[in-house]
Amino acid sequence: VEVTFVEVQPEPLPFTDVAEGDWFHDAVRYVYDNGLMDGVGDGQFAPNATTNRAMVVTILYRLAGEPAVAGDVGFTDVEPGLWYTDAVAWAAQKGIVNGISETEFSPSGDLTREQLATILYRYAQDQGYDVSAQADLSGFPDAGDIQSYATEALSWAVAEGLLQGFEDDSLQPGGTATRAQIAAVLMRFLAAVPTA
């Protein structure tokens, strides 16, 4: 009996804008293979496009298993039957997201890095994960730019290695998060926390 081992190569990603050597390639593969993120159409993943608030809530809703939701969404700018309606309703009811006002969610609004950290932190709390890790943010030159609501969440995200500083050592809490960055953060997040 002769046994031969053949290394099975994974199917190539269906995105023409994600190459094997790109820093985000493995993260995009991870989120795509796990059904967390899809392309934007025409064979594109759009790694450098900014992520909006509806997108990240939908990703977490998928991660949670798309539980059934009931009741009103509660935001005047989230219409019934859209691709993100149930996700926003679920996340709002769980306290994972807030609106930008009492009545508006701003689904197409750009997601900032501190908003991303806060949403992930609240999701982790809701799932019963340990969120006690805290990092000292005072070493970042723009630590004073962090909004008070996001301080604890950013401290946790940095401690867990989910968000990192840039080459100039800044944290850029108010900077937008690209789709490639979201993919990388999600991959790190799911490696750092227990999964069901």
Side-chain angles (χ1 to χ4, degrees):
V1 175
E2 184 178 325
V3 178
T4 305
F5 294 96
V6 178
E7 185 177 349
V8 177
Q9 294 295 325
E11 286 287 318
L13 285 168
F15 309 122
T16 58
D17 56 355
V18 179
E20 191 81 36
D22 291 335
W23 69 265
F24 47 80
H25 177 273
D26 290 349
V28 171
R29 170 158 298 285
Y30 182 88
V31 296
Y32 177 73
D33 286 350
N34 286 282
L36 300 176
M37 293 178 77
D38 296 318
V40 297
D42 296 326
Q44 304 283 300
F45 183 78
N48 297 315
T50 56
T51 309
N52 66 38
R53 291 165 52 81
M55 287 176 189
V56 77
V57 170
T58 301
I59 291 166
L60 293 180
Y61 182 59
R62 289 175 183 162
L63 187 59
E66 300 186 46
V69 292
D72 185 35
V73 176
F75 300 113
T76 58
D77 58 352
V78 178
E79 297 175 20
L82 299 175
W83 59 270
Y84 54 80
T85 304
D86 285 351
V88 172
W90 164 79
Q93 290 166 10
K94 288 280 193 177
I96 295 169
V97 295
N98 297 323
I100 59 165
S101 72
E102 289 293 320
T103 58
E104 291 181 299
F105 178 72
S106 184
S108 59
D110 288 346
L111 184 77
T112 66
R113 287 166 53 83
E114 63 188 358
Q115 287 173 351
L116 172 62
T118 302
I119 290 169
L120 279 177
Y121 180 70
R122 291 176 183 159
Y123 175 82
Q125 284 180 313
D126 178 70
Q127 296 295 305
Y129 300 152
D130 179 5
V131 291
S132 61
Q134 295 289 297
D136 180 5
L137 302 178
S138 64
F140 292 103
D142 54 355
D145 297 340
I146 299 169
Q147 296 192 44
S148 58
Y149 79 84
T151 303
E152 190 173 347
L154 268 174
S155 178
W156 165 78
V158 170
E160 291 287 358
L162 306 181
L163 288 177
Q164 301 161 351
F166 288 85
E167 290 178 5
D168 62 357
D169 294 328
S170 67
L171 192 55
Q172 299 181 21
T176 54
T178 66
R179 286 173 51 82
Q181 290 169 347
I182 294 285
V185 168
L186 283 169
M187 186 172 73
R188 292 178 201 141
F189 174 69
L190 293 172
V193 299
T195 53

